[in-house]
DNA sequence: CGACATTTTGAAACGAGTCAATTGGGGTGG
DNA sequence: CCACCCCAATTGACTCGTTTCAAAATGTCG
């Protein structure tokens, strides 16, 4: 009955601290013995255009979703962009419900396991259980908010802010998903390349690299390749 | 039973011609006698933070939705952006389902009428009728796709392409909503300011104005203040 | 008609993109 | 086990698009 505990809490937290929190969960399905599937690093869970059979909840690992657009111009390169990164407990495939086809590719950034929830089963289930229906709606709504915040970030923030917000969001999601641990000097291991980050943030990979270096020089973060330590959180928040 | 006719068709059309089509509909509720409400130009249908009571379908007129973010930095100006324009038959308020509060402001750009669909009624209704449930999910999914496409546009396109895509999208939505008329020299009357357009496209209003002027000089459009004629559609498509 | 908002246009400054070269790491094969 | 290769990441110099600041023109509403 109660509104979606997970998605709701996440969104409220986001609204509270201002940093775009960009994730979506789905907990009420926990009790149901859906099958799982393992996806190797670099492999696609699904591709754009494929018929939508299931929604997926990430059990472990990490995915990126990539949207492609035939450029308005036919003869120039199509626009492509990473539209999201997805960690444990987050749900994939929601954008495909409207067309019954997946609208993006979902690619594993590391060996990952997902829970498979067939849409043919999910919809009747939601008609049966009000709480589940509400949570599915809440998850989809949270995904709308997530995408809108990404748009807002791309439309209004300079590179420094985007990268800082990305790091803060990443750190927050890890805390939420796994270690509810300490506060200071959070260590992150980024599973994605600079190019992925850049694509997601609407920046070139060189700009991402430069910005990270600059943040390190100024003492906001520690940096060693894909290992990032958040040294001064408030400094990041004040970009 | 059949998947959401309207939203699905719109998304397919978008996928086909490449131009981001950015709208969402909800037709199955037509039969139900929901009440309506009139909103004057400049007035808000709802504001961010207000408890979510209803979803709204635009009957006539036009709205903009505006998202605000307390900048990651507290003392600098908050980020704000127009996240969408909404015409007849499109549904407003979907982003509020996850938190039970509206996540953005909805402001009428002209005198408008909306149909009020209380969420307390809508959810049980969707549990009753499978087609309705599916359509609601489809609408929300379409909204996710819409927001993702906006993000993609903001992340990858230069100013010319953004403005061109905006005009094409606008024209297409008018055709779909009202005049299923001719092909050549479609006349548009933009209900929003250059500043609104710029905010939506992640550009300054001066850039929007300059870009429109340039498109006129090159013969792609006719321009007279807020009146725009699409002279050479393919030229716009090839930006 | 007058006050105010919107739009247009110009010139200069800045941020991010582009091109290019170098460094570092991880994996494979000799 | 080391050498090599490939991919990722870093850094620099230069270019270009967009923003910024400013002023004038146009439109709108009371």
């Amino acid at each position: 009955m109660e509104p979606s505990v997970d998605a709701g809490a996440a969104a409220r937290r986001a609204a509270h601290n201002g940093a775009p929190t960009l994730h979506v969960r789905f907990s009420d399905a926990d009790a149901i013995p859906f099958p799982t599937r393992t996806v190797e690093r670099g492999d696609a869970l699904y591709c754009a255009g494929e018929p939508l059979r299931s929604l997926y909840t990430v059990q472990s690992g990490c995915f990126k979703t990539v949207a492609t657009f035939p450029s308005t111009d036919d003869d120039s390169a199509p626009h492509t962009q990473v539209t999201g990164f997805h960690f444990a407990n987050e749900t994939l495939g929601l954008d495909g419900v409207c067309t019954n086809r997946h609208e993006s590719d979902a690619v594993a950034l590391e060996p990952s396991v997902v829970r498979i929830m067939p849409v043919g089963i999910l919809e009747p289930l939601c008609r049966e259980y009000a709480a589940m229906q509400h949570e599915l709606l809440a998850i989809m709504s949270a995904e709308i908010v997530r995408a809108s915040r990404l748009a807002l970030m791309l439309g209004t923030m300079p590179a420094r802010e985007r990268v800082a917000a990305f790091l803060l969001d990443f750190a927050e999601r890890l805390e939420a998903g796994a270690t509810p641990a300490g506060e200071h000097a959070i260590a992150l291991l980024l599973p994605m390349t600079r190019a992925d980050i850049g694509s997601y943030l609407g920046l070139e990979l060189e700009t991402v690299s430069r910005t990270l270096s600059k943040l390190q020089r100024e003492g906001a973060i520690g940096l060693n390749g894909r290992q990032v330590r958040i040294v001064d959180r408030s400094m990041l928040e004040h970009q």
Side-chain angles (χ1 to χ4, degrees), chain A:
Chain A
M1 279 307 165
E2 258 309 287
S4 66
V5 181
D6 275 311
R12 270 192 300 280
R13 195 168 57 242
H16 157 257
N17 68 17
T21 295
L22 307 173
H23 57 300
V24 165
R25 304 194 169 181
F26 195 31
S27 62
D28 280 6
D30 279 344
I32 298 158
F34 287 116
T36 64
R37 174 176 154 190
T38 299
V39 186
E40 291 308 313
R41 185 190 150 188
D43 287 355
L45 174 60
Y46 56 77
C47 290
E50 286 178 10
L52 177 80
R53 294 186 223 288
S54 312
L55 302 182
Y56 306 91
T57 296
V58 180
Q59 302 283 63
S60 67
C62 177
F63 289 82
K64 66 175 173 183
T65 46
V66 184
T68 303
F69 264 111
S71 163
T72 35
D73 190 351
D74 298 324
D75 32 291
S76 69
H79 293 293
T80 195
Q81 188 183 30
V82 173
T83 54
F85 299 109
H86 307 271
F87 303 90
N89 295 317
E90 298 175 19
T91 298
L92 289 167
L94 298 170
D95 60 352
V97 175
C98 63
T99 52
N100 276 312
R101 294 187 173 276
H102 288 290
E103 291 289 310
S104 56
D105 303 342
V107 178
L109 295 172
E110 48 186 80
S112 305
V113 179
V114 297
R115 180 172 47 204
I116 303 171
M117 304 182 292
V119 288
I121 296 177
L122 205 54
E123 289 198 19
L125 219 50
C126 286
R127 237 169 294 128
E128 189 98 16
Y129 301 105
M132 194 160 189
Q133 182 195 40
H134 190 89
E135 176 147 4
L136 178 57
L137 292 175
I139 287 175
M140 297 196 74
S141 178
E143 189 74 14
I144 294 171
V145 174
R146 193 186 73 83
S148 294
R149 285 183 182 171
L150 177 58
L152 191 148
M153 182 158 82
L154 297 180
T156 65
M157 294 184 182
R160 285 180 66 88
E161 287 185 35
R162 293 188 205 183
V163 173
F166 169 78
L167 290 176
L168 289 170
D169 177 59
F170 191 92
E172 191 170 321
R173 288 161 76 178
L174 280 199
E175 281 172 33
T179 44
E183 315 193 338
H184 16 242
I186 303 157
L188 311 175
L189 185 57
L190 305 179
M192 69 292 281
T193 68
R194 301 285 192 263
D196 285 333
I197 300 173
S199 172
Y200 177 65
L201 296 177
L203 301 170
E204 293 304 310
L205 65 94
E206 294 96 327
T207 304
V208 174
S209 180
R210 263 187 266 268
T211 306
L212 287 172
S213 300
K214 208 172 298 179
L215 289 173
Q216 181 187 33
R217 252 176 278 135
E218 296 166 7
I221 63 174
L223 185 60
N224 181 14
R226 293 193 182 184
Q227 298 172 58
V228 178
R229 269 181 318 108
I230 294 187
V231 177
D232 189 337
R233 188 190 202 99
S234 71
M235 194 179 295
L236 281 185
E237 284 164 355
H238 292 197
Q239 297 300 324

